[in-house]
Amino acid sequence: MYIVTGGAGFLGSAMVWQLNQMGVQDIIVVDNLGKSEKWRNLRNLAYTDYFHKDTFMEMMLHGEEPWDAPQAVIHLGACSSTTERDVDYLWENNLRYTQTLCAWTLEHGARFINASSAATYGDGSQGFNDDPDALDDLRPLNPYGYSKQRFDLWARNAGLLENIVSLKFFNVFGPNEYHKGEMRSMVCKAYEQIAAHGSLKLFQSHRADYADGGQKRDFVYVKDCARVMAWFLENPEANGLFNVGTGKARTWNDLAEAVFAAMDNFMRVEYIPMPEAIRDCYQYFTEANMDRLAAVGAPVPDTSLEDAVADYVTQYLATDDRYL
């Protein structure tokens, strides 16, 4: 039996889908559905039960879990908004909850896989090296990134990185992200803009060393991310802190061209000023160092941006059923 927290969210539902592809259906989904549209992410998936995250925590703390000891807990449940400013909320939801769940999982002899984030790298001036010894030098630019950084530091300082996996996901995109609002990927937003207007708006560059639309990101397909997590489930001897990206930064213009091509449309881009509120904390370049993931034998995400976008657009966004 597997527990997937955030199991109705973007990465979480992709992981439930991946487990289903592996023939696994004995899955407990933990999330906070409320009045959101996340429930739609579960409609095509097979799982045993669902629990609200607070109910799950109460049962866990009081030893009242209505299930046998899990084989693994894949912890993908957190506030993922990079614009969230309630630091107390992030501290309790992203840090304390994760610490408690990690300790409980290890006490039960189960595998613990955690979602960290590339947001921990801040402006990238310290590079994108996932060596745990480099954690102290990182300066996240927002409270979300800081909450993820604090867990990685706690796990390292407690000597737990030898027994768990924490994955620093870069710019993930793909099906089942539709509920995320402004936090949806540019692929999803671009598809909607192009379908409605035949054109796409991208931010201008406010640095002389980057052309408009020339800002770079390490875009990684959600299916590749799910395959990485599946590999760690099947290889419990591999533990530590790892980047999950392609290791190949691509420009927003590259992404735009891939979406237009997948939609069989001519490329029409308008460059608009970047809002002043985000100019000082905008990342112009991210590129995962994938050496450590490759060194343990895990599958380094290698679906090209063009192939991933084509799959996302033609098999999901442009169909009647957009969900995994």
Side-chain angles (χ1 to χ4, degrees):
M1 188 271 289
Y2 295 87
I3 296 172
V4 182
T5 69
F10 177 31
L11 269 174
S13 61
M15 191 60 213
V16 175
W17 171 82
Q18 176 65 43
L19 288 169
N20 287 174
Q21 300 300 300
M22 298 160 62
V24 178
Q25 297 188 4
D26 191 3
I27 304 165
I28 301 294
V29 170
V30 178
D31 212 302
N32 178 16
L33 293 178
K35 297 180 180 179
S36 74
E37 293 296 303
K38 286 190 291 186
W39 66 272
R40 297 182 184 276
N41 288 343
L42 297 174
R43 287 187 302 180
N44 296 339
L45 306 177
Y47 59 98
T48 303
D49 210 341
Y50 159 81
F51 293 96
H52 185 276
K53 68 182 187 69
D54 293 338
T55 302
F56 171 76
M57 179 61 74
E58 284 299 312
M59 291 190 300
M60 188 180 69
L61 291 175
H62 294 94
E64 299 172 350
E65 316 91 63
W67 57 73
D68 295 328
Q71 184 171 339
V73 174
I74 303 103
H75 181 47
L76 307 173
C79 173
S80 61
S81 174
T82 58
T83 59
E84 176 60 60
R85 290 295 177 265
D86 187 337
V87 182
D88 285 330
Y89 169 72
L90 289 167
W91 202 265
E92 292 302 318
N93 193 70
N94 289 10
L95 178 58
R96 295 298 185 211
Y97 195 104
T98 308
Q99 290 172 323
T100 302
L101 181 57
C102 177
W104 179 87
T105 303
L106 294 177
E107 287 171 6
H108 284 74
R111 188 89 164 113
F112 186 74
I113 298 176
N114 174 64
S116 185
S117 171
T120 58
Y121 288 116
D123 63 6
S125 60
Q126 300 300 315
F128 301 94
N129 181 5
D130 50 3
D131 184 343
D133 291 338
L135 283 171
D136 298 295
D137 297 328
L138 302 183
R139 297 294 181 268
L141 296 176
N142 53 54
Y144 162 74
Y146 184 56
S147 69
K148 293 293 188 178
Q149 167 79 344
R150 289 305 308 176
F151 176 78
D152 289 338
L153 283 166
W154 173 80
R156 184 201 65 183
N157 294 341
L160 297 180
L161 285 180
E162 298 175 359
N163 302 302
I164 70 171
V165 177
S166 192
L167 301 173
K168 294 194 174 200
F169 293 101
F170 277 64
N171 285 73
V172 186
F173 68 94
N176 290 25
E177 63 173 316
Y178 317 117
H179 63 282
K180 292 172 64 68
E182 284 304 307
M183 292 296 107
R184 290 170 300 156
S185 74
M186 180 52 73
V187 179
C188 185
K189 294 179 183 178
Y191 175 84
E192 294 174 356
Q193 285 187 40
I194 295 166
H197 308 292
S199 62
L200 172 64
K201 294 180 179 180
L202 293 177
F203 286 143
Q204 294 172 354
S205 171
H206 294 271
R207 283 177 46 175
D209 52 338
Y210 285 87
D212 291 341
Q215 306 96 320
K216 290 185 174 183
R217 292 284 188 279
D218 192 331
F219 302 107
V220 59
Y221 200 29
V222 70
K223 290 183 180 181
D224 282 349
C225 295
R227 280 191 283 268
V228 170
M229 289 187 283
W231 185 90
F232 277 107
L233 288 177
E234 295 174 334
N235 293 271
E237 74 285 352
N239 293 294
L241 182 66
F242 302 96
N243 286 333
V244 180
T246 66
K248 299 175 182 177
R250 301 292 299 275
T251 69
W252 292 110
N253 288 330
D254 291 336
L255 182 145
E257 185 174 359
V259 178
F260 277 103
M263 297 178 69
D264 198 22
N265 256 323
F266 292 108
M267 185 162 165
R268 291 175 53 199
V269 175
E270 175 189 355
Y271 300 101
I272 61 173
M274 189 183 299
E276 291 188 12
I278 67 172
R279 287 184 193 178
D280 291 340
C281 58
Y282 185 81
Q283 288 179 309
Y284 274 75
F285 179 85
T286 66
E287 184 177 82
N289 182 321
M290 299 306 299
D291 292 345
R292 295 186 73 250
L293 190 71
V296 297
V300 175
D302 61 358
T303 306
S304 71
L305 177 62
E306 289 75 14
D307 287 347
V309 168
D311 183 68
Y312 186 16
V313 169
T314 62
Q315 302 302 309
Y316 299 96
L317 291 172
T319 69
D320 292 334
D321 185 352
R322 305 186 299 167
Y323 295 85
L324 289 167

